[in-house]
Amino acid sequence: MKILITGVTGTLGSVLLRKLEADGHFLYCLVRSSGKLSPAARLKALESKAISIGGDITKPMCGLSAESVAMLKDAEIDAVLHCAASINFSLSKKAETHLINTGGTANVLELAGGIDAKSFHHISTAYVAGDSKYFSESDLQKNQVFRNPYEKSKFDAEEMIRLWCLRHGIPFSIYRPSVIVGDSASGEIESFDGYYGFFKYLAAMRDRARENIRLGISNGFAKMVKGNLVFFPITIRCSFFSTINLVARNWVADNI
């Protein structure tokens, strides 16, 4: 198959990229520039031989030139696989999350229509269920209350995809993984976001303690051990009853 895929530098997209290439699919990857790295350089860093196409899903037609759109249309793309997303839950980032997850999906759909893609596949989240007590894979609108801007943005994206694909007669699939973590065997992951965001605070505390120790500032129980390691005991309040559904990214990619 010829597949146009977004989000290949992300937690799930990078695994899907490797698996789809290994299965012999011909991939076109929509990649945005990052700092001094070009789309081609970012794709090369993933050791991929796919074709990189510079773009930005927050722009109309994903920021593609007329030449790139014509090239993709001539390629007769079998499927668009939309993995790119923001997983920021913060209220302060609500506008940005909506721009990427909802507006970005609208732009990818527009591009899919412009290149006459034969099918559309979208990575959503199980948490479009919001606070619903019961929610099946065929459900979407159950008057659920969303707990953060991320959940709402992914719900809006799903609703848009269903309407657009039904109107255009294009088959579509929506995948709803729960909380994605690293590889089931090695733990490997590209970035510490989502579930791992909590640990960024612990790392920041460690770094502050390390710097204070270097400056001779008292840190209570904190001390350096074994070279650069920091002994910094803390207490974290946890619930004995709440649960969280974690899924390994390779398992999710295999199912998709």
Side-chain angles (χ1 to χ4, degrees), residues 233-246:
I234 60 173
T235 298
I236 300 172
R237 294 185 64 185
C238 300
S239 166
F240 288 101
F241 307 105
S242 65
T243 58
I244 186 169
N245 193 320
L246 306 178

PDB file of all heavy atoms in Angstrom, residues 233-246:
ATOM      1  N   PRO A 233      15.175  11.493  49.259  1.00  0.00           N
ATOM      2  CA  PRO A 233      13.925  10.810  49.622  1.00  0.00           C
ATOM      3  C   PRO A 233      12.751  11.779  49.678  1.00  0.00           C
ATOM      4  O   PRO A 233      12.842  12.855  50.254  1.00  0.00           O
ATOM      5  CB  PRO A 233      14.229  10.242  51.009  1.00  0.00           C
ATOM      6  CG  PRO A 233      15.281  11.154  51.560  1.00  0.00           C
ATOM      7  CD  PRO A 233      16.121  11.575  50.381  1.00  0.00           C
ATOM      8  N   ILE A 234      11.656  11.383  49.041  1.00  0.00           N
ATOM      9  CA  ILE A 234      10.434  12.188  49.069  1.00  0.00           C
ATOM     10  C   ILE A 234       9.241  11.258  49.268  1.00  0.00           C
ATOM     11  O   ILE A 234       9.335  10.050  49.030  1.00  0.00           O
ATOM     12  CB  ILE A 234      10.238  12.996  47.765  1.00  0.00           C
ATOM     13  CG1 ILE A 234      10.132  12.063  46.565  1.00  0.00           C
ATOM     14  CG2 ILE A 234      11.339  14.023  47.571  1.00  0.00           C
ATOM     15  CD1 ILE A 234       9.771  12.779  45.282  1.00  0.00           C
ATOM     16  N   THR A 235       8.138  11.825  49.713  1.00  0.00           N
ATOM     17  CA  THR A 235       6.899  11.070  49.886  1.00  0.00           C
ATOM     18  C   THR A 235       5.881  11.540  48.853  1.00  0.00           C
ATOM     19  O   THR A 235       5.686  12.746  48.683  1.00  0.00           O
ATOM     20  CB  THR A 235       6.334  11.282  51.298  1.00  0.00           C
ATOM     21  OG1 THR A 235       7.273  10.794  52.257  1.00  0.00           O
ATOM     22  CG2 THR A 235       5.014  10.523  51.467  1.00  0.00           C
ATOM     23  N   ILE A 236       5.276  10.589  48.168  1.00  0.00           N
ATOM     24  CA  ILE A 236       4.260  10.918  47.161  1.00  0.00           C
ATOM     25  C   ILE A 236       2.939  10.296  47.599  1.00  0.00           C
ATOM     26  O   ILE A 236       2.859   9.085  47.834  1.00  0.00           O
ATOM     27  CB  ILE A 236       4.658  10.376  45.772  1.00  0.00           C
ATOM     28  CG1 ILE A 236       5.990  10.982  45.326  1.00  0.00           C
ATOM     29  CG2 ILE A 236       3.563  10.672  44.744  1.00  0.00           C
ATOM     30  CD1 ILE A 236       6.545  10.378  44.066  1.00  0.00           C
ATOM     31  N   ARG A 237       1.926  11.119  47.737  1.00  0.00           N
ATOM     32  CA  ARG A 237       0.612  10.620  48.138  1.00  0.00           C
ATOM     33  C   ARG A 237      -0.039   9.878  46.966  1.00  0.00           C
ATOM     34  O   ARG A 237      -0.158  10.416  45.875  1.00  0.00           O
ATOM     35  CB  ARG A 237      -0.268  11.766  48.593  1.00  0.00           C
ATOM     36  CG  ARG A 237       0.212  12.452  49.860  1.00  0.00           C
ATOM     37  CD  ARG A 237      -0.776  13.503  50.313  1.00  0.00           C
ATOM     38  NE  ARG A 237      -2.057  12.909  50.689  1.00  0.00           N
ATOM     39  CZ  ARG A 237      -3.126  13.622  51.030  1.00  0.00           C
ATOM     40  NH1 ARG A 237      -3.074  14.943  51.018  1.00  0.00           N
ATOM     41  NH2 ARG A 237      -4.259  13.025  51.357  1.00  0.00           N
ATOM     42  N   CYS A 238      -0.447   8.661  47.203  1.00  0.00           N
ATOM     43  CA  CYS A 238      -1.058   7.847  46.152  1.00  0.00           C
ATOM     44  C   CYS A 238      -2.351   7.217  46.672  1.00  0.00           C
ATOM     45  O   CYS A 238      -2.561   7.113  47.878  1.00  0.00           O
ATOM     46  CB  CYS A 238      -0.108   6.738  45.714  1.00  0.00           C
ATOM     47  SG  CYS A 238       1.459   7.320  45.041  1.00  0.00           S
ATOM     48  N   SER A 239      -3.170   6.789  45.739  1.00  0.00           N
ATOM     49  CA  SER A 239      -4.399   6.095  46.094  1.00  0.00           C
ATOM     50  C   SER A 239      -4.177   4.592  46.025  1.00  0.00           C
ATOM     51  O   SER A 239      -3.477   4.089  45.147  1.00  0.00           O
ATOM     52  CB  SER A 239      -5.515   6.484  45.125  1.00  0.00           C
ATOM     53  OG  SER A 239      -6.608   5.596  45.255  1.00  0.00           O
ATOM     54  N   PHE A 240      -4.760   3.891  46.985  1.00  0.00           N
ATOM     55  CA  PHE A 240      -4.673   2.432  46.975  1.00  0.00           C
ATOM     56  C   PHE A 240      -5.718   1.814  46.045  1.00  0.00           C
ATOM     57  O   PHE A 240      -5.706   0.620  45.796  1.00  0.00           O
ATOM     58  CB  PHE A 240      -4.885   1.877  48.392  1.00  0.00           C
ATOM     59  CG  PHE A 240      -3.736   2.135  49.323  1.00  0.00           C
ATOM     60  CD1 PHE A 240      -3.799   3.165  50.240  1.00  0.00           C
ATOM     61  CD2 PHE A 240      -2.579   1.367  49.261  1.00  0.00           C
ATOM     62  CE1 PHE A 240      -2.748   3.412  51.103  1.00  0.00           C
ATOM     63  CE2 PHE A 240      -1.525   1.600  50.109  1.00  0.00           C
ATOM     64  CZ  PHE A 240      -1.594   2.635  51.036  1.00  0.00           C
ATOM     65  N   PHE A 241      -6.638   2.641  45.551  1.00  0.00           N
ATOM     66  CA  PHE A 241      -7.784   2.107  44.824  1.00  0.00           C
ATOM     67  C   PHE A 241      -7.847   2.521  43.355  1.00  0.00           C
ATOM     68  O   PHE A 241      -8.417   1.805  42.537  1.00  0.00           O
ATOM     69  CB  PHE A 241      -9.082   2.548  45.523  1.00  0.00           C
ATOM     70  CG  PHE A 241      -9.095   2.218  46.985  1.00  0.00           C
ATOM     71  CD1 PHE A 241      -8.900   3.206  47.925  1.00  0.00           C
ATOM     72  CD2 PHE A 241      -9.277   0.908  47.405  1.00  0.00           C
ATOM     73  CE1 PHE A 241      -8.897   2.902  49.282  1.00  0.00           C
ATOM     74  CE2 PHE A 241      -9.280   0.592  48.758  1.00  0.00           C
ATOM     75  CZ  PHE A 241      -9.085   1.596  49.701  1.00  0.00           C
ATOM     76  N   SER A 242      -7.323   3.683  43.004  1.00  0.00           N
ATOM     77  CA  SER A 242      -7.435   4.136  41.616  1.00  0.00           C
ATOM     78  C   SER A 242      -6.519   3.314  40.716  1.00  0.00           C
ATOM     79  O   SER A 242      -5.493   2.789  41.152  1.00  0.00           O
ATOM     80  CB  SER A 242      -7.083   5.626  41.502  1.00  0.00           C
ATOM     81  OG  SER A 242      -5.734   5.841  41.835  1.00  0.00           O
ATOM     82  N   THR A 243      -6.909   3.186  39.467  1.00  0.00           N
ATOM     83  CA  THR A 243      -6.135   2.409  38.496  1.00  0.00           C
ATOM     84  C   THR A 243      -5.887   3.245  37.251  1.00  0.00           C
ATOM     85  O   THR A 243      -6.568   4.233  37.005  1.00  0.00           O
ATOM     86  CB  THR A 243      -6.887   1.126  38.091  1.00  0.00           C
ATOM     87  OG1 THR A 243      -8.163   1.487  37.543  1.00  0.00           O
ATOM     88  CG2 THR A 243      -7.094   0.213  39.289  1.00  0.00           C
ATOM     89  N   ILE A 244      -4.920   2.826  36.480  1.00  0.00           N
ATOM     90  CA  ILE A 244      -4.638   3.501  35.217  1.00  0.00           C
ATOM     91  C   ILE A 244      -4.337   2.429  34.173  1.00  0.00           C
ATOM     92  O   ILE A 244      -3.649   1.438  34.472  1.00  0.00           O
ATOM     93  CB  ILE A 244      -3.461   4.495  35.356  1.00  0.00           C
ATOM     94  CG1 ILE A 244      -3.272   5.286  34.065  1.00  0.00           C
ATOM     95  CG2 ILE A 244      -2.176   3.808  35.783  1.00  0.00           C
ATOM     96  CD1 ILE A 244      -2.314   6.458  34.206  1.00  0.00           C
ATOM     97  N   ASN A 245      -4.882   2.597  32.977  1.00  0.00           N
ATOM     98  CA  ASN A 245      -4.743   1.596  31.925  1.00  0.00           C
ATOM     99  C   ASN A 245      -3.550   1.954  31.040  1.00  0.00           C
ATOM    100  O   ASN A 245      -3.631   2.868  30.227  1.00  0.00           O
ATOM    101  CB  ASN A 245      -6.030   1.541  31.095  1.00  0.00           C
ATOM    102  CG  ASN A 245      -6.064   0.323  30.198  1.00  0.00           C
ATOM    103  OD1 ASN A 245      -5.059  -0.048  29.619  1.00  0.00           O
ATOM    104  ND2 ASN A 245      -7.222  -0.288  30.083  1.00  0.00           N
ATOM    105  N   LEU A 246      -2.456   1.239  31.209  1.00  0.00           N
ATOM    106  CA  LEU A 246      -1.242   1.486  30.431  1.00  0.00           C
ATOM    107  C   LEU A 246      -1.099   0.426  29.345  1.00  0.00           C
ATOM    108  O   LEU A 246      -1.315  -0.769  29.591  1.00  0.00           O
ATOM    109  CB  LEU A 246      -0.005   1.452  31.332  1.00  0.00           C
ATOM    110  CG  LEU A 246      -0.019   2.375  32.548  1.00  0.00           C
ATOM    111  CD1 LEU A 246       1.255   2.194  33.374  1.00  0.00           C
ATOM    112  CD2 LEU A 246      -0.159   3.827  32.116  1.00  0.00           C
TER     113      LEU A 246
END
